[in-house]
Amino acid sequence: LFGALISPTDPIAVLTILKSAGVSSSLETKISGESLFNDGVGVVVFLSILMVHEHGVANFEAIETLKLFAEEALGGLLYGAVLGYLGYRILKSIEDAPKIEVLITIAITAGGYGLASVIHVSGPLAMVVAGLIIGNKLILPKNAGKSAMEVSEFWEMLDETLNAILFVLIGLEIVSLPNEGSYILAGLIMIPAVLLARLISVTLPFTFLKKEGLKTVKTISVLTWGGLRGGISIALALSLPDSEYRELVVLITYCDVVYSIVFQGLSIRTLVKKLKLGA
């Protein structure tokens, strides 16, 4: 369960640092794209394992859990694709009306996410796919209109605002964390374990695709060290029901998140410069 909640990465802080370091746009795309799908898949895996825990291992049926995962993940991808295409067609038919377009995108996000829970598919994955379709079709093209750019700016501002609020709440939550030495020791032990798991998970796809060479090693290094943990991991940990393990999991999660943001986040610029991965 801890592995599932700590797997999503938060690219917000690291991308800002990487941009200032002049990293290539290709690497930026890898980091942000991986993070988006990590978020959705991580939430689905977390909910599936939590369901097994709540129903008891004795009642665990692998086929039922895999079926639930398939419905949530694949259903979320398909639902998001349909929602994204319909949203794109609606926005495409509107000309030079940024306020209306912003309202439509809010309706797609809020209404679409609400409907996803009703039809039992993954809301996070659906929103990722819908956002990618609308963004790539409507906002990213070089000939994107003024209203499309204003929609993009609105969501960027909202994203930064909500992230700021989230990290303030994370800071306030530290006050209520248990101050037990064994819990803190467990958190410190898990830091290298999480980094090792990150290294393995990043290296395997490159190996499978037979990508080799010095540039690949440098990219793996940056993707591993730049995989900061953030708000989603904290939110999932805090959503755990009351149990004898809840405080332990929350504290371990905090240790990993704080370490990744402070130590990895502050040193990623130096790593990029040493590896000469500038644009």
Side-chain angles (χ1 to χ4, degrees), residues 1 4 7 15 25 29 85 87 102 123 160 173 185-186 218 233 247:
L1 190 65
S7 62
L15 279 178
S25 57
T29 303
Y85 179 75
V102 166
E160 291 180 4
E173 181 67 22
L185 179 61
K218 291 179 178 180
S233 296
E247 288 187 346

Side-chain angles (χ1 to χ4, degrees), residues 52-106:
V52 173
H53 170 71
E54 290 177 345
H55 287 81
V57 179
N59 300 319
F60 168 67
E61 294 183 7
I63 295 178
E64 286 297 319
T65 304
L66 290 174
K67 181 181 177 182
L68 172 67
F69 178 81
E71 288 177 355
E72 288 276 339
L74 299 179
L77 293 173
L78 179 61
Y79 171 65
V82 173
L83 191 65
Y85 179 75
L86 291 176
Y88 162 69
R89 298 302 303 178
I90 294 172
L91 292 169
K92 186 74 173 176
S93 65
I94 301 172
E95 295 183 1
D96 198 25
K99 292 182 180 179
I100 295 177
E101 292 184 22
V102 166
L103 290 174
I104 290 174
T105 55
I106 293 174

Side-chain angles (χ1 to χ4, degrees), residues 13 22 30 33-34 41 49 57 78 85 124 150 180 197 202 249 251-252:
K30 288 184 178 74
E34 181 229 6
V41 175
I49 298 175
V57 179
L78 179 61
Y85 179 75
E150 290 187 16
E180 291 191 27
V202 170
V249 173
L251 185 60
I252 293 175

Side-chain angles (χ1 to χ4, degrees), residues 6 39 43 66 110 170 223 262 267:
I6 205 67
D39 293 352
V43 171
L66 290 174
I170 289 174
L223 286 173
V262 175
S267 59

Side-chain angles (χ1 to χ4, degrees), residues 89-169:
R89 298 302 303 178
I90 294 172
L91 292 169
K92 186 74 173 176
S93 65
I94 301 172
E95 295 183 1
D96 198 25
K99 292 182 180 179
I100 295 177
E101 292 184 22
V102 166
L103 290 174
I104 290 174
T105 55
I106 293 174
I108 291 171
T109 307
Y113 195 95
L115 182 60
S117 62
V118 174
I119 61 178
H120 302 293
V121 298
S122 173
L125 271 180
M127 295 305 103
V128 166
V129 174
L132 287 173
I133 292 174
I134 293 174
N136 279 281
K137 291 285 188 181
L138 198 70
I139 296 171
L140 286 187
K142 294 182 180 179
N143 59 348
K146 180 181 177 182
S147 58
M149 297 309 298
E150 290 187 16
V151 171
S152 178
E153 290 174 0
F154 166 80
W155 282 103
E156 285 181 9
M157 179 192 69
L158 184 61
D159 181 48
E160 291 180 4
T161 303
L162 292 177
N163 269 287
I165 294 172
L166 177 62
F167 278 98
V168 169
L169 295 176

